[in-house]
Amino acid sequence: MRRIYLDNNATTPVLPEVFEAMRPCFGEHFGNASSIHQNGQEARVAVETAREGVAGLLGCHSSEIVFTSGGTEADNLAVAGLTSAGDHVITSRIEHHAVLHSCRHIEETGCEVTYLPVDNRGLVDLDDLRRALRPNTKLISIMTANNETGVLQPVEEIGKLAAEAGVKFHTDAVQATAKVVINVDRIGCHALSISGHKMNAPQGVGALYVRKGTRLRPLFYGGGHERFLRAGTENVPGIVGLGKAAQLARESLARGDDKRLAALRDRLEQGILSRIDDTGVNGQGAPRTPNTANIHFDHIEGEALVIALDLKGLAVSGGAACSSGATEPSHVLAAMGLRPDRARASIRFSLGKQTTQDDIDFALALVAENVARLREMSPVYRVPTLR
Ligand code: PLP
């Protein structure tokens, strides 16, 4: 059966070039990057080359990159490492749990956190942010792109505001990196998180950009790896994969591949909105990453649609999170003011480098057919002509 993968915000396939770059790290170049002998030095060179690749993508110096085990660790490192008891932190209600739960943790250790609301497009209001500043505000942590909707926050304006207020700014750019051009100086951030598996590198590797001169407390204690900011033997294959993926992403953005994705995403959205009644794009009207479409299909359970589509060969995600056995509407869609039933009727389609126009047309046909079937079975849905 044909399978189409439109869940690239969950994870992406490793590109063949990335896999090839990693392969020697499992064989002839297996060394520990901290060893002084030749095997170690080969691994060190590979790690430092990868660091340059990542720095090139973010527009920073390679010495400002700290490799981590992924986006979650990078977010935890930024939030916990840039704050101390008594500090005030400003974040938003739509952050990934890697940031939200890090914020909950620092609240338990004596920090105060303000969770900014968003409007119905999913955007933070800069006036709200300005008003939330306090004399003891130490950190603003607001994501660049949301994982569920793709909505892009005005991070450059937030960076300016943070600089004027003398506050550190961290941004979770896990879902923005490799999809839109990221430049840490233009954003004006002190820290920025990325994750390998969201950009065609393997799972289990990521990085935190840390602006030169920024004091950061590590999460782990051990050896002096990553300039004492992240103890633990480096994941050389993962880091090499991330470096290669960063180099490829930079080339791809320079070629304008993001425009190809945006055109496919628009084809999908327009196709759904024109063919299927009672649908709408969540985050419509806000700037968004080119690969993400979050759409509500009223009168159905999103989870039922996700399962039905999966059985027919299409992988997508729902707008609900399963916590302790109950299906909770997504905190992101709830913060945007979507009714719980509409949030539960939402589906995230996230395109990737491998997505073709044919995939989109196949997905469109499947979605139209399965939404119609689920609505027919629904006791609450009435066929429009009968209304
Ligand atoms: N931040 C955002 C916005 C994400 O979408 C994710 C993953 O879904 C993470 C952080 C966590 O990244 P990782 O899976 O590498 O830990």
Side-chain angles (χ1 to χ4, degrees):
M1 184 175 65
R2 178 173 183 185
R3 279 203 70 82
I4 305 294
Y5 183 78
L6 293 184
D7 201 15
N8 289 272
N9 285 10
T11 201
T12 55
V14 171
L15 288 176
E17 300 93 313
V18 170
F19 185 67
E20 282 313 316
M22 293 170 66
R23 191 194 290 275
C25 309
F26 297 105
E28 67 265 37
H29 295 162
F30 63 87
N32 181 326
S34 299
S35 302
I36 57 168
H37 47 61
Q38 196 177 326
N39 305 67
Q41 290 317 295
E42 282 164 0
R44 171 57 52 205
V45 168
V47 166
E48 296 315 317
T49 306
R51 204 184 298 282
E52 275 161 27
V54 173
L57 181 65
L58 303 180
C60 64
H61 196 269
S62 59
S63 63
E64 295 171 305
I65 297 298
V66 178
F67 287 117
T68 66
S69 63
T72 299
E73 187 190 326
D75 285 343
N76 274 259
L77 180 57
V79 172
L82 292 170
T83 57
S84 311
D87 289 340
H88 174 238
V89 175
I90 303 173
T91 187
S92 81
R93 292 186 195 160
I94 57 152
E95 298 299 311
H96 189 270
H97 284 137
V99 167
L100 285 178
H101 292 173
S102 294
C103 286
R104 293 278 180 234
H105 171 71
I106 60 165
E107 280 180 306
E108 283 165 17
T109 59
C111 289
E112 286 178 302
V113 182
T114 301
Y115 299 87
L116 293 178
V118 291
D119 66 15
N120 60 6
R121 296 166 301 169
L123 287 170
V124 164
D125 183 313
L126 293 175
D127 287 330
D128 284 345
L129 176 55
R130 218 172 272 118
R131 276 193 294 271
L133 288 165
R134 300 183 194 167
N136 64 334
T137 306
K138 185 72 176 289
L139 176 70
I140 296 171
S141 178
I142 293 185
M143 69 200 322
T144 307
N146 185 267
N147 41 303
E148 295 188 30
T149 59
V151 168
L152 289 159
Q153 298 298 327
V155 282
E156 294 181 19
E157 282 84 349
I158 295 171
K160 285 198 194 86
L161 212 149
E164 280 160 24
V167 171
K168 298 264 182 300
F169 176 33
H170 162 249
T171 186
D172 174 340
V174 163
Q175 293 287 356
T177 310
K179 295 173 187 157
V180 296
V181 174
I182 296 284
N183 182 287
V184 292
D185 285 339
R186 227 178 298 140
I187 297 175
C189 54
H190 298 83
L192 179 143
S193 308
I194 70 168
S195 170
H197 74 109
K198 310 293 186 178
M199 47 181 280
N200 302 102
Q203 296 164 352
V205 66
L208 184 68
Y209 154 78
V210 184
R211 185 172 290 277
K212 188 169 187 277
T214 305
R215 281 173 61 108
L216 180 82
R217 244 192 348 270
L219 290 177
F220 307 152
Y221 296 92
H225 311 87
E226 299 298 293
R227 291 177 291 115
F228 291 92
L229 292 173
R230 204 283 183 176
T233 301
E234 288 95 340
N235 166 9
V236 179
I239 289 171
V240 166
L242 180 56
K244 183 68 184 176
Q247 179 215 319
L248 293 171
R250 194 178 174 191
E251 290 165 10
S252 153
L253 284 166
R255 279 196 306 270
D257 287 357
D258 49 330
K259 294 180 189 63
R260 183 191 79 90
L261 271 191
L264 290 180
R265 189 265 322 262
D266 292 347
R267 183 180 180 93
L268 177 70
E269 286 183 354
Q270 281 152 20
I272 289 175
L273 299 191
S274 64
R275 284 192 210 182
I276 312 175
D277 291 329
D278 298 339
T279 52
V281 175
N282 301 321
Q284 181 83 282
R288 287 183 290 140
T289 48
N291 81 316
T292 308
N294 192 309
I295 298 180
H296 59 84
F297 298 86
D298 291 350
H299 323 296
I300 59 155
E301 279 297 327
E303 210 182 29
L305 182 57
V306 170
I307 294 167
L309 292 173
D310 185 41
L311 291 173
K312 302 280 184 187
L314 176 63
V316 295
S317 275
C322 205
S323 63
S324 57
T327 313
E328 292 290 332
S330 116
H331 70 283
V332 174
L333 300 181
M336 290 164 68
L338 260 78
R339 299 189 316 255
D341 62 317
R342 185 164 269 184
R344 276 199 295 269
S346 295
I347 298 288
R348 177 186 72 186
F349 302 86
S350 47
L351 286 54
K353 282 192 184 311
Q354 74 286 5
T355 310
T356 63
Q357 184 168 313
D358 200 38
D359 293 342
I360 296 298
D361 293 343
F362 178 78
L364 268 173
L366 278 185
V367 171
E369 179 191 315
N370 283 278
V371 169
R373 195 173 54 79
L374 288 172
R375 282 180 175 170
E376 255 168 46
M377 285 158 42
S378 163
V380 292
Y381 182 70
R382 294 281 169 271
V383 181
T385 50
L386 297 182
R387 265 191 269 166

